[in-house]
Amino acid sequence: MAEVEPKQKKASGRQCCICNQRRAVLKRPKTLEQICRECFYAVFEDEIHRVIVDNQLFKPGERIAIGASGGKDSTVLAYVLSELNRRHKYGLDLFLLSVDEGITGYRDDSLETVKRNEIQYGLPLKVVSYKDLYGWTMDEIVKMIGLKNNCTFCGVFRRQALDRGAALLKVDKLVTGHNADDIAETVLLNILRGDIARLSRCTSITTGEDGPIPRCKPFKYTYEKEIVMYAYFKRLDYFSTECIYSPNAYRGFAREFIKDLERIRPRAILDIIKSGEDFRISTSTKMPEQGTCERCGYISSQKWCKACVLLEGLNRGLPKLGIGRSRGLNGHKKDIEQINQMNNIQSKPCGSLDF
């Protein structure tokens, strides 16, 4: 009678390639390493710490505002920065800064998440609103302008609102949750629209150093997928719904292209950022000179800043003035004359693509 072979033991799964002790539970999108949850936390946090230290983003005693939207990026940034500040004794005073654009069913819900984060992380929260700053909500703007160009208004107003909120908090720097995917998208977008000025600075980890409040991006080399994984495994409280007005945004096309590249070659995201860093602008290229807006005093390369131009168009009942449109406004001669007058003072369109 043939001898029955003993059943082989069922494979227990791959071991973590870092500690070689615990079972791997995920594959890192950036490196494709199979690692355990504890090692993932460690390498994720250590990479961000190294970016902060190597680039000297902060100095002890500085007041730092964290741009908080309630989404995954800003929530993970607030959590990790507060942890690293405590663990490595950065000596920073951290604050949460949120902008209420006035989008019913989206921003009102996400702000509730930020208010919970305020309690969870013990960080003071400051909220500034479009309505208070500009007299308009995004719902009101979309009702007038439609869905085609609304992201231009929101991006310009949000950037200025963050700066004004940071000034109210009297902080030394503002940090945002822009990740590696965001920066790679911006490099491509600036190439597509031939924006030399922004292409020359969009990969900088710190911008606005010559302005009132510099901005830092500690997640510059951090993949969006890893941020999502970190938030999921840590069970962080964040808001995951997409803005109801953003599906038509131009950036979405670049985002899909980046995702396709990442599926083929995960390192493509870092390669695009590296390419952006290595671009050199010809010395003969005329760059815009920075000044201040004659109307509100905000940073501008023209007589009026972009926010004031857009706001003027809204208040006149001609919202397309600020977008540089010269046709399609009912064919009124007076409208065309006002557009031409506005184009003489407006700054270069920046939309929601500028960091």
Side-chain angles (χ1 to χ4, degrees):
M1 186 173 178
E3 189 174 326
V4 179
E5 294 183 3
K7 291 183 179 181
Q8 292 182 348
K9 292 184 180 180
K10 189 177 180 180
S12 59
R14 291 177 179 268
Q15 282 189 319
C16 171
C17 68
I18 295 179
C19 68
N20 292 317
Q21 294 178 354
R22 293 177 289 267
R23 186 171 65 89
V25 296
L26 62 94
K27 181 186 289 186
R28 288 195 69 188
K30 182 188 289 186
T31 63
L32 301 182
E33 295 174 314
Q34 296 199 28
I35 59 178
C36 66
R37 187 178 305 185
E38 290 75 11
C39 287
F40 173 61
Y41 295 156
V43 295
F44 183 89
E45 294 166 1
D46 186 61
E47 284 180 6
I48 296 168
H49 170 62
R50 292 261 48 98
V51 168
I52 291 172
V53 173
D54 292 346
N55 293 277
Q56 301 178 338
L57 296 187
F58 311 121
K59 296 178 182 177
E62 286 187 325
R63 293 166 62 89
I64 306 296
I66 302 170
S69 66
K72 62 184 184 315
D73 298 315
S74 61
T75 299
V76 172
L77 177 61
Y79 176 83
V80 170
L81 199 53
S82 59
E83 285 293 307
L84 294 179
N85 186 42
R86 176 188 54 79
R87 184 184 309 162
H88 298 286
K89 296 180 173 58
Y90 292 162
L92 307 176
D93 289 328
L94 302 176
F95 302 85
L96 297 177
L97 174 60
S98 293
V99 177
D100 181 2
E101 299 95 340
I103 304 176
T104 305
Y106 170 69
R107 185 55 72 208
D108 47 359
D109 291 338
S110 67
L111 282 175
E112 292 302 315
T113 303
V114 178
K115 291 174 183 176
R116 292 195 297 271
N117 293 157
E118 175 187 15
I119 299 171
Q120 293 161 352
Y121 308 149
L123 302 177
L125 169 65
K126 174 68 177 178
V127 180
V128 293
S129 72
Y130 282 9
K131 190 67 174 178
D132 292 339
L133 293 174
Y134 311 115
W136 292 79
T137 65
M138 273 309 298
D139 286 341
E140 294 168 343
I141 293 172
V142 169
K143 190 174 180 180
M144 176 178 285
I145 190 69
L147 291 173
K148 189 173 182 180
N149 295 299
N150 62 86
C151 287
T152 297
F153 286 83
C154 194
V156 173
F157 288 165
R158 183 173 59 247
R159 177 178 178 81
Q160 190 176 114
L162 281 171
D163 281 341
R164 297 198 182 283
L168 291 173
L169 287 171
K170 298 180 180 179
V171 297
D172 300 292
K173 292 186 178 78
L174 171 65
V175 296
T176 60
H178 290 106
N179 55 52
D181 300 56
D182 297 326
I183 298 174
E185 291 164 14
T186 304
V187 172
L188 289 180
L189 286 166
N190 286 331
I191 291 173
L192 290 173
R193 63 182 184 173
D195 195 332
I196 300 299
R198 290 195 176 86
L199 183 59
S200 67
R201 67 174 185 265
C202 69
T203 56
S204 300
I205 196 166
T206 300
T207 57
E209 292 176 290
D210 52 349
I213 302 174
R215 293 187 176 209
C216 304
K217 299 187 283 283
F219 284 173
K220 177 181 176 180
Y221 301 108
T222 307
Y223 279 29
E224 182 179 48
K225 285 183 179 178
E226 298 202 350
I227 293 173
V228 173
M229 286 181 173
Y230 187 89
Y232 173 77
F233 285 119
K234 283 283 187 176
R235 298 186 177 181
L236 300 184
D237 184 5
Y238 69 94
F239 187 77
S240 58
T241 303
E242 185 181 10
C243 175
I244 59 177
Y245 297 140
S246 68
N248 296 321
Y250 185 42
R251 176 175 284 268
F253 297 103
R255 181 174 295 116
E256 289 302 314
F257 180 65
I258 292 292
K259 296 302 180 189
D260 290 341
L261 286 177
E262 185 185 9
R263 279 190 285 271
I264 299 170
R265 186 168 184 268
R267 190 173 172 80
I269 292 175
L270 293 179
D271 289 341
I272 292 174
I273 294 175
K274 183 65 167 60
S275 297
E277 292 173 337
D278 290 342
F279 276 124
R280 294 293 178 267
I281 308 303
S282 172
T283 55
S284 62
T285 302
K286 186 178 180 180
M287 303 292 281
E289 296 180 6
Q290 182 174 294
T292 55
C293 174
E294 293 181 355
R295 189 173 188 180
C296 71
Y298 189 68
I299 299 171
S300 176
S301 59
Q302 301 293 328
K303 291 182 179 180
W304 285 15
C305 69
K306 185 65 176 177
C308 283
V309 173
L310 293 174
L311 193 57
E312 179 74 4
L314 288 173
N315 291 334
R316 287 190 185 188
L318 297 169
K320 293 186 179 181
L321 283 175
I323 312 173
R325 298 284 183 175
S326 58
R327 292 181 294 178
L329 292 178
N330 302 322
H332 292 171
K333 184 177 180 181
K334 183 179 179 181
D335 291 347
I336 302 301
E337 290 175 353
Q338 288 180 323
I339 290 169
N340 292 333
Q341 178 185 2
M342 189 65 68
N343 285 339
N344 290 332
I345 61 173
Q346 73 174 2
S347 59
K348 189 172 183 179
C350 59
S352 59
L353 310 180
D354 183 24
F355 287 162

